[in-house]
Amino acid sequence: MTISDTSGPSKELLWLASVFSGFVFCKIVYTLTGIISLQSFKAYVKLSNFGKVEWNNRGFSTFHALVAASSSLYLVLFSSTFDPSSSNELLIRRTSSLSDMTLGFSIGYFLSDLAMVLWVFPALGGFEYVVHHVLSLFSIIQSLLSGQGQVYILMVLFTESTTPFVNLRWYLDNAGQKNSNLYVINGIALFLGWLVARILLFIYFFSHMFKHFDQVKTVYPLGFYSLLAVPPMLATMNVFWFWKIARGMIKTLRKARHSK
């Protein structure tokens, strides 16, 4: 099966509309974040121009994370699309309009965010962020165009659920709230969320692939080898970042304990 086998005028229109919506909502949320923050947060006014860019950027990354994670959770766990008993079609080849829209929306986001990362590089993130975004785009675009492996892409997209905690940590840090109870609570939530969504979920991901490897082998060659190569790379990055998060949480807890 080739990538073009699942495409058609209506599908292509849906894909383009979804990607475009990702661009548009990123721009809208970016602008609204700046307007609201200027009126509501004193810390925002004190930031440099690049600092304000990152503040606004984290606003639309949080928005994407909430949309992508909630949609992925619904599709994988609660919808009939990937329910093993709902159809005789191979799980690896199942799609729906909502899953296509979710992937298209995320493509729009990752393209927008990657453009900003490169524009002010390395202010918004170093080389590892570029690698993460490129790998994500490479995998999502393949899955959307081919209609294969969407269940696994959606599992990985759910890992975006940790992004709001990462962003809140940055906001609190730049607002001078590192000693607040909210900063400590958010740090613990980030640690636990990362453990569940980016460590344990990947363990389940790999076990699920192993269990359904007879289906995975039916994916077209580039998609098949991507499924074998990209997730381990992302998992390795997640473990590295988890180690840094764990160190940060321990440091914060010790500081909070000594300040009492």
Side-chain angles (χ1 to χ4, degrees):
M1 180 176 183
T2 62
I3 286 180
S4 61
D5 288 339
T6 60
S7 65
S10 59
K11 268 187 171 292
E12 290 174 353
L13 184 60
L14 177 65
W15 296 343
L16 291 173
S18 300
V19 173
F20 183 69
S21 71
F23 286 124
V24 171
F25 276 103
C26 283
K27 174 58 177 176
I28 291 174
V29 176
Y30 180 91
T31 302
L32 287 177
T33 300
I35 293 173
I36 295 172
S37 299
L38 185 62
Q39 299 175 348
S40 305
F41 301 103
K42 294 180 180 179
Y44 182 82
V45 179
K46 300 177 182 178
L47 292 172
S48 65
N49 289 334
F50 279 134
K52 291 176 181 176
V53 168
E54 182 166 5
W55 183 293
N56 299 344
N57 173 273
R58 289 178 180 273
F60 76 68
S61 73
T62 298
F63 176 77
H64 165 261
L66 294 173
V67 172
S70 58
S71 181
S72 298
L73 182 66
Y74 168 75
L75 283 164
V76 174
L77 292 185
F78 302 109
S79 76
S80 61
T81 304
F82 301 107
D83 183 352
S85 62
S86 66
S87 171
N88 292 326
E89 186 178 13
L90 293 178
L91 191 66
I92 200 75
R93 296 178 183 271
R94 295 189 191 181
T95 67
S96 68
S97 295
L98 180 57
S99 65
D100 282 351
M101 290 171 62
T102 300
L103 299 189
F105 182 82
S106 290
I107 290 171
Y109 159 73
F110 279 114
L111 285 173
S112 301
D113 199 44
L114 180 61
M116 292 197 67
V117 169
L118 295 175
W119 175 42
V120 297
F121 188 84
L124 291 181
F127 179 70
E128 67 275 11
Y129 283 86
V130 176
V131 172
H132 175 271
H133 280 27
V134 170
L135 289 176
S136 298
L137 280 168
F138 177 70
S139 301
I140 297 172
I141 290 172
Q142 280 194 82
S143 186
L144 177 63
L145 296 182
S146 69
Q148 299 184 35
Q150 288 196 6
V151 63
Y152 293 119
I153 300 299
L154 291 167
M155 285 185 192
V156 176
L157 270 180
F158 179 72
T159 64
E160 288 292 306
S161 59
T162 61
T163 298
F165 300 109
V166 175
N167 289 340
L168 180 57
R169 181 179 183 178
W170 185 90
Y171 285 136
L172 291 172
D173 189 4
N174 282 269
Q177 298 295 316
K178 289 190 68 172
N179 295 323
S180 66
N181 290 332
L182 180 57
Y183 188 87
V184 175
I185 294 172
N186 181 71
I188 296 173
L190 174 59
F191 173 82
L192 295 176
W194 201 280
L195 176 63
V196 173
R198 291 186 183 254
I199 304 297
L200 297 181
L201 178 59
F202 265 90
I203 294 175
Y204 173 77
F205 177 98
F206 292 126
S207 65
H208 191 281
M209 276 188 58
F210 180 78
K211 181 180 179 181
H212 296 87
F213 200 67
D214 57 326
Q215 296 189 34
V216 174
K217 289 189 295 184
T218 68
V219 175
Y220 64 98
L222 181 59
F224 172 72
Y225 290 113
S226 296
L227 276 172
L228 294 184
V230 174
M233 295 173 67
L234 293 176
T236 301
M237 295 173 70
N238 286 336
V239 170
F240 171 71
W241 284 328
F242 182 63
W243 173 71
K244 295 180 69 173
I245 290 169
R247 288 184 60 189
M249 184 191 70
I250 292 172
K251 182 178 179 180
T252 299
L253 290 175
R254 285 176 176 173
K255 186 175 180 180
R257 185 181 303 172
H258 292 157
S259 63
K260 291 182 179 180

